[in-house]
């Protein structure tokens, strides 16, 4: 790799940086969450509401955050359930430790625990995550208030309103599952079979397989259709460019075809985050290069 | 660097700290070196490399043509320009050579008198290095994809081999122990470097299982990428380690973590004691290999690094942070295997282009003497390369 400046290990950097980070341990994680929240808000503005006649809450995909933040693991920690992240490392001799860990030293080993996540967006019930279905790794994120507002707006005047309200009341404060099986619905949430059918009819639940359901966004079929078409069209634009690469600023300025219904920037964040194009820093800005492995 | 030396000298710092810091600096500056070369003997792609653990002097390589070569990595000539010579070869002309591609070779962990090779001709041979004749040969029913001998075992010398047409890894010595549990072909097997009875296998049914050979009735546990959160995936994909075939396994040097790569273009880091997915996100690790992928982890560095062959280059990731540090480009075709030399922090990689490339840390540039800055790498004031000096310009302008 051509490097003008060599890679430098953290240990060789000036100590000032480490001292600052160690002082504000909680401050660091708060900043991290605030960052993610502001990126989410920014991505929400890129979502075109008018396209769906305002019936859909603004949907952001999780991998779009990867294009805005360098550290994918940190983004995952804020967005994914925090009890999955409990790495307990045992260090038997000196090793550098990431800043926001606590170290307890026993006679021969140092045990490292991670701090409990205070600003966990999903734990707080601020964010909901959905499995969209077209890709096992593509997860959609929606702010809980937006979701609640749109769902109730869509259900206004229908008979299923009461059931849906009950479901949302159970779901939003605490639950962070993507799918539910029958047992959970019947025992924990105390829904009857007919109520579950009503929920499926209203679009809040989608069938996953016999006896289990995905959490879903009502009326999201159109969204997925436009999204996939738009993604394919944008990737085609990158592929057809000379040498299969195009500057990001140039792509943003291009006129979109009728296939592309969303804003160009929304799609660009998506293809960068999902690593469907290679992102190369050049002196004229970011270059997006088509990657051979992808057919679409 | 000087402050590290002073701190070590005065006892402020642990002696190992300087070593780790310097090893990390060296790994970060890995580059192809035109002074270091490895003899080109193989006529076909190189599938596997192994450096012996005792001295780190001899390297074994196995190729797609069935040839096995032993190289001497030590530089005894006084010149910087050095080619790692092939000391001996089990070539096509030898009577005992494997008939088809050699998939895995490994030195006997306790001395270099013996090595084991396994191949697609359905045999696994234990060779005597002195005479280059097989001392023992095991026959199997299917192609042997991978084998591994435990690097820490004192009480047993089991070789675990996995082969196609059977979904069980066998640990064979004189006793043939079969471990059942996988539903698809097993592509990779590794012993834990921490406990001599723990074994990990990776298979095409998307699962990674951890076994205890003392209890050959069933696996200890299966690695689950969602850590038991069954709600995240469709019901077929529950309890899988990857969303595609799992084709590479590697334990970290201390044996506490296990890395696995799969054809879903993901690499995952697992806690080998509990089987928990640590959810470090490495991004897309391109993986198109139909058979096993051999990758390696650095040893002795402060943030450890993973070296994974990705297409025709080797990607270097930080082990716990998940960030891509750099891509080592130099091969002309797919890279199949790579091996880290812990004493010199060098990386050897072999691939389909029949070359073994040595990635050597770049030496520090000599600093100007009156410019002692305290940043260690900063201000690389290189002496002017004689190629750029000319005879007519003068410094006094």
């Amino acid at each position: 790799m051509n490097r003008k400046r060599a890679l430098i290990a953290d240990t060789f950097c000036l100590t000032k940086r480490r001292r600052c980070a160690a002082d504000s341990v909680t401050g660091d994680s708060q900043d991290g969450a605030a960052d993610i929240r502001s990126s989410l808000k920014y991505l929400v503005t890129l979502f075109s509401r008018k396209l769906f006649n305002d019936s859909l809450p603004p949907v952001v995909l999780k991998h779009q955050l990867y294009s805005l933040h360098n550290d994918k693991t940190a983004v995952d920690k804020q967005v994914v359930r925090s009890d999955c992240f409990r790495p307990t490392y045992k260090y038997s001799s000196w090793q550098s430790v990431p800043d926001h860990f606590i170290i307890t030293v026993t006679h021969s080993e140092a045990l490292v625990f991670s701090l409990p996540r205070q600003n966990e967006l999903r734990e707080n019930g601020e964010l909901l995550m959905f499995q969209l279905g077209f890709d096992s790794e593509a997860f959609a994120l929606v702010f809980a208030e937006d979701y609640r507002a749109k769902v109730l707006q869509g259900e206004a005047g229908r008979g299923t309103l009461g059931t849906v309200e009950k479901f949302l009341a159970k779901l939003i404060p605490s639950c962070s599952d993507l799918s539910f099986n029958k047992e959970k619905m019947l025992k924990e949430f105390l829904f009857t079979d007919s109520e579950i059918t009503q929920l499926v009819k209203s679009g809040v639940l989608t069938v996953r397989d016999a006896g289990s359901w995905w959490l879903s966004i009502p009326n999201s079929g159109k969204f997925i259709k436009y999204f996939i078409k738009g993604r394919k069209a944008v990737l085609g634009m990158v592929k057809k460019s000379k040498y299969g690469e195009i500057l990001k600023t140039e792509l943003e300025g291009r006129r979109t075809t009728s296939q592309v219904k969303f804003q160009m920037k929304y799609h660009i964040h998506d293809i960068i985050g999902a690593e469907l194009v290679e992102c190369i820093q050049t002196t004229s800005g970011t270059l997006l290069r088509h990657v051979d492995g992808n057919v679409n | 660097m000087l402050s590290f030396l002073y701190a070590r000298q005065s006892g402020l710092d642990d002696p190992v700290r300087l070593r780790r810091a310097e090893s990390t600096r060296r790994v970060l500056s890995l580059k192809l070196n035109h002074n270091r070369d490895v003899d080109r003997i193989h006529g076909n792609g190189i599938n596997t490399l192994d450096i012996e653990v005792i001295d780190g002097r001899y390297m074994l390589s196995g190729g797609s043509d069935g040839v096995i070569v032993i190289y001497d990595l030590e530089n005894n000539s006084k010149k910087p320009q050095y080619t790692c010579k092939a000391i001996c070869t089990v070539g096509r002309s030898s009577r005992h050579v494997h008939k088809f591609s050699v998939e895995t070779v490994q030195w006997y962990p306790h001395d270099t008198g013996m090595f084991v090779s396994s191949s697609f001709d359905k045999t696994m041979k234990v060779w005597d290095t002195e005479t280059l004749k097989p001392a023992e040969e095991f026959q199997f029913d299917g192609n042997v994809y991978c084998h591994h001998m435990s690097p820490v075992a004192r009480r047993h010398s089991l070789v675990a081999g996995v082969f196609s047409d059977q979904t069980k890894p066998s640990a064979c010595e004189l006793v043939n122990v079969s471990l059942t549990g996988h539903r698809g072909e097993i592509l990779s097997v590794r012993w834990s470097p921490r406990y001599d009875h723990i074994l990990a296998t990776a298979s095409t049914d998307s699962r990674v299982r951890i076994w205890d050979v003392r209890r050959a009735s069933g696996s200890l546990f299966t690695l689950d990428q969602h850590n038991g959160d069954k709600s995240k995936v469709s019901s077929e994909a529950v309890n899988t380690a990857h969303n595609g075939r799992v084709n590479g396994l590697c334990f970290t040097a201390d044996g506490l973590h296990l890395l696995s790569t799969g054809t879903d273009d993901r690499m995952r880091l697992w806690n080998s004691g509990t089987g928990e997915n640590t959810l470090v996100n490495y991004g897309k690790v391109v993986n198109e290999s139909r058979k096993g992928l051999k990758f390696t982890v650095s040893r002795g560095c402060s943030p450890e690094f993973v070296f994974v062959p990705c297409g025709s280059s080797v990607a270097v990731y930080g082990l716990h942070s998940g960030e891509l540090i750099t891509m080592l480009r130099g091969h002309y075709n797919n890279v199949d295997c790579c091996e880290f030399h812990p004493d010199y922090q060098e990386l050897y990689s072999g691939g389909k282009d029949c070359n073994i490339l040595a990635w050597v840390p770049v030496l520090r540039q000599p600093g100007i003497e009156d410019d002692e800055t305290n940043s260690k790498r900063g201000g690389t004031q290189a002496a002017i390369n004689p190629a750029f000096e000319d005879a007519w310009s003068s410094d006094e302008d």
Side-chain angles (χ1 to χ4, degrees):
Chain A
M1 195 168 172
N2 269 340
R3 304 194 142 263
K4 294 271 164 64
R5 289 183 183 73
L7 296 165
I8 304 179
D10 270 348
T11 43
F12 287 103
C13 285
L14 304 172
T15 51
K16 243 191 227 171
R17 218 184 65 179
R18 263 189 290 166
R19 226 182 289 134
C20 288
D23 273 344
S24 56
V25 173
T26 48
D28 200 20
S29 63
Q30 258 172 15
D31 281 339
D35 265 342
I36 305 281
R37 197 181 285 126
S38 53
S39 326
L40 281 171
K41 293 220 162 84
Y42 162 66
L43 288 168
V44 157
T45 58
L46 293 177
F47 181 82
S48 6
R49 288 171 196 257
K50 274 200 320 208
L51 192 58
F52 304 102
N53 293 330
D54 229 14
S55 63
L56 209 57
V59 179
V60 169
L61 288 126
K62 185 173 81 145
H63 55 253
Q64 285 174 328
L65 287 172
Y66 298 157
S67 74
L68 291 168
H69 293 268
N70 272 332
D71 193 353
K72 298 191 180 76
T73 314
V75 170
D76 281 350
K77 279 184 186 166
Q78 289 295 328
V79 169
V80 176
R81 247 168 60 169
S82 74
D83 58 330
C84 301
F85 273 94
R86 245 187 342 234
T88 313
Y89 300 120
K90 275 197 189 152
Y91 288 80
S92 49
S93 56
W94 183 89
Q95 262 183 301
S96 82
V97 172
D99 287 322
H100 43 272
F101 284 67
I102 308 175
I103 310 177
T104 53
V105 183
T106 61
H107 59 279
S108 60
E109 291 167 331
L111 296 171
V112 183
F113 300 90
S114 63
L115 279 178
R117 299 270 140 216
Q118 290 136 334
N119 294 307
E120 241 297 319
L121 290 169
R122 280 184 74 214
E123 292 271 288
N124 291 344
E126 270 187 57
L127 206 60
L128 288 170
M129 195 153 103
F130 303 91
Q131 166 73 276
L132 282 179
F134 61 86
D135 188 355
S136 58
E137 305 246 348
F139 295 104
L141 299 171
V142 182
F143 278 112
E145 317 92 57
D146 289 338
Y147 180 71
R148 190 203 190 91
K150 293 296 177 192
V151 167
L152 292 177
Q153 177 192 328
E155 287 296 306
R158 288 209 216 147
T160 49
L161 181 63
T163 330
V164 171
E165 261 179 15
K166 189 172 149 196
F167 181 67
L168 286 178
K170 288 249 164 65
L171 175 74
I172 286 181
S174 58
C175 190
S176 45
D177 273 341
L178 272 75
S179 75
F180 309 94
N181 59 14
K182 196 151 185 184
E183 221 179 86
K184 187 163 186 180
M185 293 295 279
L186 293 178
K187 308 262 163 50
E188 252 182 71
F189 290 164
L190 303 169
F191 281 112
T192 60
D193 271 339
S194 61
E195 286 181 324
I196 297 178
T197 320
Q198 284 183 349
L199 289 173
V200 173
K201 242 177 84 178
S202 68
V204 175
L205 290 181
T206 316
V207 168
R208 179 181 166 210
D209 80 52
S212 71
W213 300 271
W214 292 114
L215 185 67
S216 86
I217 309 168
N219 307 321
S220 60
K222 222 164 139 194
F223 165 76
I224 297 179
K225 186 172 93 173
Y226 288 158
F227 182 77
I228 295 180
K229 273 207 188 134
R231 188 197 245 189
K232 199 166 166 182
V234 172
L235 282 175
M237 280 163 81
V238 176
K239 189 172 172 188
K240 275 192 234 149
S241 315
K242 195 172 183 195
Y243 305 122
E245 55 192 23
I246 184 171
L247 283 174
K248 189 164 121 174
T249 41
E250 201 189 313
L251 188 62
E252 281 167 12
R254 284 256 187 109
R255 235 177 40 175
T256 57
T257 63
S258 62
Q259 295 279 336
V260 178
K261 309 267 190 225
F262 291 105
Q263 283 190 39
M264 200 49 153
K265 284 196 180 173
Y266 190 81
H267 278 296
I268 290 179
H269 282 301
D270 163 53
I271 57 178
I272 295 178
E275 293 187 79
L276 296 166
V277 285
E278 212 180 306
C279 214
I280 301 164
Q281 298 298 330
T282 64
T283 45
S284 336
T286 318
L287 184 71
L288 304 175
R289 182 179 287 161
H290 169 75
V291 172
D292 266 339
N294 301 300
V295 174
N296 56 345
Chain B
M1 175 77 162
L2 287 177
S3 68
F4 277 105
L5 283 169
Y6 177 71
R8 182 194 166 145
Q9 196 177 17
S10 55
L12 288 170
D13 259 349
D14 209 88
V16 82
R17 189 163 183 239
L18 168 64
R19 182 183 173 159
R20 283 186 178 271
E22 188 58 20
S23 306
T24 315
R25 189 198 67 78
R26 281 169 65 85
V27 171
L28 287 174
S29 64
L30 278 180
K31 238 172 114 167
L32 271 183
N33 193 334
H34 56 262
N35 282 335
R36 181 73 67 91
D37 219 353
V38 179
D39 241 1
R40 191 181 162 147
I41 305 281
H42 284 280
N44 217 324
I46 294 160
N47 283 330
T48 174
L49 290 172
D50 189 40
I51 301 180
E52 46 120 357
V53 284
I54 298 105
D55 281 332
R57 183 171 173 178
Y58 298 106
M59 180 165 77
L60 263 179
S61 76
S64 300
D65 44 4
V67 169
I68 302 174
V69 188
I70 303 178
Y71 304 89
D72 180 358
L73 298 178
E74 198 165 293
N75 184 359
N76 285 326
S77 71
K78 303 281 193 296
K79 297 181 278 212
Q81 160 64 261
Y82 175 65
T83 306
C84 300
K85 291 259 172 286
I87 310 176
C88 43
T89 323
V90 176
R92 299 297 322 161
S93 54
S94 154
R95 205 155 46 99
H96 307 285
V97 71
H98 279 288
K99 293 194 188 59
F100 297 126
S101 149
V102 174
E103 284 304 305
T104 320
V105 279
Q106 191 192 1
W107 286 105
Y108 182 58
H110 307 298
D111 65 59
T112 52
M114 211 161 84
F115 60 89
V116 184
S117 69
S118 64
S119 130
F120 273 178
D121 66 354
K122 308 186 187 178
T123 59
M124 189 193 302
K125 297 190 184 176
V126 180
W127 301 79
D128 175 354
T129 322
E130 200 81 18
T131 56
L132 283 185
K133 288 205 184 59
E136 186 74 60
E137 193 173 311
F138 298 103
Q139 279 288 346
F140 292 98
D141 298 326
N143 293 339
V144 189
Y145 280 120
C146 186
H147 77 263
H148 199 236
M149 258 192 293
S150 175
V152 292
R154 298 262 170 233
R155 284 173 291 179
H156 69 79
S157 41
L158 289 172
V159 181
V162 291
F163 42 94
S164 69
D165 292 351
Q166 291 277 350
T167 54
K168 325 184 248 272
S170 325
C172 45
E173 192 190 11
L174 292 172
V175 178
N176 207 322
V177 179
S178 240
L179 305 168
T180 52
H182 275 291
R183 277 189 230 126
E185 286 179 348
I186 304 176
L187 295 175
S188 184
V189 64
R190 278 275 176 274
W191 289 91
S192 160
R194 200 173 174 89
Y195 303 109
D196 60 358
H197 51 262
I198 300 288
L199 180 67
T201 54
S203 127
T204 53
D205 66 356
S206 316
R207 287 180 170 73
V208 176
R209 284 182 191 269
I210 309 283
W211 311 80
D212 181 340
V213 283
R214 300 172 303 189
R215 192 189 82 165
S217 55
S219 59
L220 284 177
F221 48 84
T222 309
L223 299 179
D224 180 10
Q225 57 178 313
H226 302 285
N227 288 333
D229 184 4
K230 292 198 175 42
S231 71
K232 263 185 128 172
V233 281
S234 57
S235 15
E236 309 89 50
V238 168
N239 215 22
T240 54
H242 281 265
N243 292 328
R245 295 193 296 269
V246 192
N247 56 12
L249 279 182
C250 187
F251 274 96
T252 54
D254 51 9
L256 293 173
H257 290 92
L258 173 65
L259 277 161
S260 66
T261 55
T263 51
D264 59 345
D265 292 341
R266 296 274 176 262
M267 184 159 68
R268 301 197 203 275
L269 181 70
W270 311 86
N271 181 327
S272 60
T274 59
E276 207 181 317
N277 185 355
T278 56
L279 292 173
V280 177
N281 192 333
Y282 296 97
K284 188 168 165 182
V285 180
V286 176
N287 187 341
E288 288 156 357
S289 176
R290 286 199 62 86
K291 39 181 201 170
L293 188 71
K294 293 175 174 51
F295 61 102
T296 182
V297 180
S298 68
R299 271 177 294 247
C301 300
S302 167
E304 298 283 6
F305 301 99
V306 188
F307 303 96
V308 190
C310 267
S312 62
S313 49
V314 180
V316 183
Y317 289 94
L319 183 67
H320 293 296
S321 66
E323 58 165 318
L324 174 65
I325 310 272
T326 181
M327 297 280 276
L328 301 173
R329 287 180 223 277
H331 277 278
Y332 300 128
N333 208 329
N334 283 342
V335 182
D336 281 325
C337 52
C338 54
E339 189 68 29
F340 186 71
H341 194 315
D343 297 329
Y344 298 117
Q345 290 85 41
E346 290 165 357
L347 184 74
Y348 292 89
S349 58
K352 282 207 182 61
D353 59 353
C354 320
N355 281 328
I356 299 180
L357 292 182
W359 306 84
V360 175
V362 170
L363 294 174
R364 273 187 224 277
Q365 297 294 336
I368 312 262
E369 265 174 11
D370 50 359
D371 195 9
E372 285 290 46
T373 54
N374 48 6
S375 72
K376 288 52 180 190
R377 284 285 296 185
T380 43
Q381 321 231 332
I384 296 180
N385 190 326
F388 296 122
E389 267 179 0
D390 51 19
W392 45 267
S393 67
S394 148
D395 286 337
E396 278 141 14
D397 288 343

